[in-house]
Amino acid sequence: GVVSRLPLIVCFLTANHNSLLTLLMGIPFERAIKYHKVSGYLAFVNGIFHTIVAYIAYKEDAGKDQEIIKKFVSDGQVNLSGSLLLAIILSMVITASPYIRGKAFEVFYYFHIFFAMAMMGCAFYHSGILVALLASILWGGDVLIRKVYMACFRYPTSAQIKQLTDTVVEVKFPKTAGFDYNPGQYVKIAIPKLSVFQWHPISISSSPHQHYVTLHIRKRGAWTTRLHELAGKRTEVTILLEGPYGSLGVDLTSDRYKMVMLLSGGIGVTPMQ
């Protein structure tokens, strides 16, 4: 049981944009996410072994009962919550598969959040307050930092929008104190006029030395299409921001490289202006 809990705690720890890994070790979310995936799969495998061992012990005590599996699953708070917990992790593994993420990202995203909250409840009833408390502190604290402090108090909440072409919209807002970023970083943005719940990662296309911040967004899916239509009707919108996130994989500030070649295509060319 203890072995099964540890990957769950690591899973919640590495699911945060503002985590201890980032603060203490400098590991950004984009690189920590692979540990999130590994710990999630490990929690699932551990859960299966834990269930098998518990079932064998239960079967020895129950004898030759024809409905042993049904009774095992629903016998008491611990067994029922443990069975639900394993089913939840299995559902998260399935909905987080590359195929579903690629074809229906919102299904993956909303199911992941719902199952994560359900997992904390089942973990509380199954093994006590430890996992639920740590997960609530780690995940809940990150949500408060990103969705409340950054989006509502720290960063600008109004931006100008403009159609640049038939497929590209420019979002522009003043660079306020504390909004420091490096070339290549991105922000996550939500536009309440379109949806409060949809946050999209967009590369910053303006220079860190400029007094304003620009994002260039290409019309591609439903949200970006609606944004393009909105830019044709108005010039200013309310925005919610979090970030900036991301870090370069190489050190461009040192003298290690005499020459650096940068390649980009499509809308990815905008940060290289």
Side-chain angles (χ1 to χ4, degrees):
V2 175
V3 176
S4 299
R5 294 177 209 165
L6 294 178
L8 285 179
I9 296 174
V10 175
C11 204
F12 276 96
L13 174 64
T14 51
N16 303 329
H17 282 77
N18 304 281
S19 67
L20 294 176
L21 291 175
T22 301
L23 296 175
L24 300 180
M25 303 178 65
I27 302 176
F29 171 75
E30 296 76 20
R31 298 180 189 175
I33 198 66
K34 64 181 179 181
Y35 302 110
H36 174 74
K37 295 177 181 178
V38 171
S39 59
Y41 288 126
L42 187 58
F44 177 58
V45 173
N46 283 347
I48 292 176
F49 279 109
H50 178 63
T51 303
I52 292 174
V53 172
Y55 174 74
I56 293 174
Y58 186 87
K59 186 177 181 180
E60 290 178 353
D61 295 335
K64 297 181 179 180
D65 194 322
Q66 297 296 325
E67 297 184 348
I68 181 67
I69 296 180
K70 182 179 179 180
K71 289 185 177 180
F72 168 74
V73 170
S74 59
D75 187 8
Q77 172 181 303
V78 173
N79 282 22
L80 179 59
S81 59
S83 301
L84 289 174
L85 193 57
L86 184 62
I88 288 171
I89 298 177
L90 173 61
S91 301
M92 295 181 81
V93 169
I94 293 174
T95 54
S97 64
Y99 178 81
I100 293 181
R101 288 205 320 269
K103 296 292 184 180
F105 181 82
E106 291 183 1
V107 172
F108 149 73
Y109 181 75
Y110 291 120
F111 269 77
H112 225 61
I113 293 177
F114 171 76
F115 284 139
M117 292 187 290
M119 182 189 298
M120 287 189 286
C122 289
F124 172 75
Y125 283 106
H126 184 70
S127 58
I129 197 172
L130 178 62
V131 174
L133 180 62
L134 287 176
S136 299
I137 293 174
L138 295 172
W139 192 38
D142 178 62
V143 170
L144 288 175
I145 291 173
R146 294 189 292 118
K147 308 301 184 185
V148 178
Y149 172 62
M150 284 185 177
C152 299
F153 297 103
R154 185 178 179 184
Y155 294 151
T157 56
S158 179
Q160 296 177 338
I161 57 174
K162 179 172 63 174
Q163 289 182 350
L164 295 184
T165 68
D166 292 340
T167 58
V168 177
V169 171
E170 179 188 72
V171 178
K172 184 177 180 180
F173 52 90
K175 182 182 178 183
T176 57
F179 193 89
D180 300 318
Y181 60 92
N182 296 316
Q185 289 192 299
Y186 69 94
V187 295
K188 296 189 75 173
I189 182 173
I191 299 179
K193 186 69 176 178
L194 302 178
S195 174
V196 177
F197 301 103
Q198 290 192 44
W199 292 74
H200 292 262
I202 306 295
S203 296
I204 301 173
S205 54
S206 54
S207 168
H209 306 294
Q210 294 175 299
H211 298 296
Y212 56 86
V213 181
T214 58
L215 312 173
H216 290 86
I217 304 172
R218 184 176 63 179
K219 183 173 67 173
R220 187 169 183 177
W223 186 85
T224 52
T225 299
R226 291 167 57 205
L227 174 61
H228 192 273
E229 294 172 352
L230 183 64
K233 301 175 183 177
R234 58 170 62 191
T235 59
E236 190 170 341
V237 292
T238 299
I239 61 172
L240 299 174
L241 290 172
E242 62 171 84
Y245 300 121
S247 64
L248 294 175
V250 294
D251 183 10
L252 298 180
T253 60
S254 67
D255 297 329
R256 181 178 180 182
Y257 304 101
K258 295 182 179 180
M259 181 181 296
V260 177
M261 179 180 293
L262 302 177
L263 303 176
S264 67
I267 198 67
V269 75
T270 53
M272 298 177 64
Q273 61 177 337

